[in-house]
Amino acid sequence: MLEGEPGCGKTRLARAVAYELGLPLYSWYVRSTSKATEGLYCYDALARLHDVQLSQRGINTRRDPTDGKQYRQFGALGQAFQMAERPAVVLIDEIDKADLDFPNDLLAALDEWQFEIPETGEKIMPAHEDCKPIIIITSNRETGDLPAPFLRPCIAAIAELVK
């Protein structure tokens, strides 16, 4: 968890960590309208419905509407969870821009190190313990402090690293 004034190098630090460790970097730039699930995955139900309608008329589509997995796309955190041979670095940039529920919703996925995609029935988790992503969260503290239930695990994780 990095807090500081805009332009002080928080985002650059995430890039430097990925570079120095030779790991891929996935960036998630949070907006005021961002939802925690967007960093995990997006599911295009409208495209699937459209493809079902086309296939019922005998028109071929580039995707198979019977396979829901073809209509989901992983976000930055979801992509990092897919790493099988090494971890990735995930930058969650300017978390303080999101609404108040965002950090707690994000914490649910990070606390369990897994998430479900109800539309496909998939349960996504890192391939093994060594592939858990390195997560760097930045905040400008523009909207005040982040919720205490979110900050406690961040502080605990840092304390564990320092041991």
Side-chain angles (χ1 to χ4, degrees):
M1 180 73 193
L2 301 172
E3 291 183 336
E5 298 296 318
C8 72
K10 300 179 299 290
T11 301
R12 265 210 180 163
L13 179 63
R15 290 184 185 128
V17 167
Y19 176 79
E20 289 297 322
L21 295 176
L23 299 175
L25 172 68
Y26 297 105
S27 299
W28 179 13
Y29 300 100
V30 177
R31 300 179 315 266
S32 62
T33 58
S34 293
K35 301 293 179 206
T37 55
E38 292 170 8
L40 302 170
Y41 76 97
C42 294
Y43 187 81
D44 194 346
L46 290 177
R48 187 173 186 188
L49 177 61
H50 181 258
D51 289 351
V52 165
Q53 292 173 340
L54 289 177
S55 66
Q56 287 175 344
R57 290 191 222 149
I59 300 171
N60 287 334
T61 60
R62 60 185 168 98
R63 296 176 287 211
D64 176 8
T66 63
D67 182 7
K69 293 177 184 176
Q70 294 185 26
Y71 297 89
R72 62 116 166 84
Q73 182 176 357
F74 288 109
L77 196 52
Q79 290 178 54
F81 272 43
Q82 299 297 301
M83 299 295 294
E85 297 175 13
R86 60 187 178 155
V89 176
V90 177
L91 168 65
I92 303 174
D93 203 26
E94 298 187 7
I95 194 171
D96 53 315
K97 284 186 176 180
D99 68 23
L100 291 175
D101 292 332
F102 183 93
N104 293 329
D105 292 345
L106 178 61
L107 186 59
L110 297 179
D111 192 36
E112 299 287 325
W113 286 107
Q114 66 182 11
F115 64 95
E116 291 186 33
I117 303 176
E119 296 89 347
T120 63
E122 295 171 280
K123 184 180 276 190
I124 307 297
M125 62 187 75
H128 51 79
E129 189 72 23
D130 295 338
C131 291
K132 286 183 179 178
I134 299 168
I135 301 171
I136 298 175
I137 302 171
T138 71
S139 169
N140 294 336
R141 295 188 78 183
E142 291 178 359
T143 58
D145 292 331
L146 293 168
F150 177 76
L151 291 176
R152 278 192 294 270
C154 293
I155 293 167
I158 292 168
E160 187 67 29
L161 287 173
V162 173
K163 281 185 182 179

